[in-house]
Amino acid sequence: MTKINMKTLTIKQEDRNPNSTESIAYRLNYIIRKRRYTAKEVASLTEDKTRGLKPISPATISLYINGKSAPNHSYTRRLARVLNVDPSWLSCDLPFDWINKPKQTPEVTELIEIYGRLNVKMQKYIMETARIAIAAMQNETNDKKNTDR
């Protein structure tokens, strides 16, 4: 059962074990300890004067860390931004071990975005062209190895 507390904008989590890697509490604890922050330091980082956002109180962050409450979507995004993690990881939409994987370069991100905007015919053409290019590069490498012998 989920209860909403409008005063602190939190959602009580009664269905998740706060010690599970699939809980926001565990992930907050993990990343805050890894970055060597205190709840008070994280709270001060969540203040955004340019948008007129007050900081999330240390008491509220403590509730999140202890699994007594879970941040709403807006607070999750703010916490993820100040802790420099993906909001999807913090909200448990991505597997826990994703945090340790290398991030994509901007070029790869752009390429994925462009590919997604193409129609199916163009996507197939791009994939076929890429396969041909890879095969050609492999042939060049094999030819060079054979010439060096």
Side-chain angles (χ1 to χ4, degrees):
M1 174 182 272
T2 303
K3 296 179 182 176
I4 298 176
N5 179 341
M6 296 307 285
K7 184 176 180 187
T8 59
L9 295 174
T10 59
I11 301 173
K12 289 192 177 182
Q13 263 187 329
E14 298 173 350
D15 298 336
R16 283 192 188 159
N17 175 359
N19 297 321
S20 163
T21 59
E22 297 306 313
S23 77
I24 294 172
Y26 184 89
R27 291 175 182 216
L28 267 175
N29 250 317
Y30 172 82
I31 203 69
I32 287 172
R33 287 179 188 212
K34 187 175 180 179
R35 304 268 158 73
R36 299 176 189 249
Y37 285 134
T38 65
K40 191 174 184 177
E41 290 169 330
V42 173
S44 68
L45 291 172
T46 61
E47 183 175 19
D48 191 344
K49 292 180 181 176
T50 59
R51 293 190 206 164
L53 298 174
K54 293 183 178 178
I56 302 171
S57 75
T60 302
I61 291 175
S62 180
L63 289 173
Y64 299 158
I65 291 169
N66 294 319
K68 306 272 189 224
S69 295
N72 65 15
H73 183 69
S74 169
Y75 278 21
T76 300
R77 292 192 70 76
R78 283 173 66 188
L79 288 166
R81 185 173 33 79
V82 301
L83 294 170
N84 198 24
V85 295
D86 190 303
S88 298
W89 178 83
L90 189 56
S91 62
C92 303
D93 293 334
L94 293 170
F96 181 79
D97 64 348
W98 181 89
I99 192 76
N100 298 317
K101 293 189 178 173
K103 305 295 183 263
Q104 292 178 345
T105 63
E107 292 83 6
V108 171
T109 304
E110 181 184 17
L111 186 60
I112 291 169
E113 179 189 332
I114 291 169
Y115 182 81
R117 292 181 2 213
L118 297 173
N119 64 31
V120 174
K121 184 177 178 182
M122 288 304 294
Q123 287 178 345
K124 287 180 181 178
Y125 175 76
I126 295 293
M127 289 301 292
E128 188 58 33
T129 304
R131 288 185 185 110
I132 291 168
I134 290 171
M137 287 183 350
Q138 288 173 340
N139 287 338
E140 284 178 15
T141 304
N142 290 340
D143 290 346
K144 186 177 180 184
K145 285 182 184 177
N146 290 335
T147 337
D148 291 343
R149 288 183 186 175

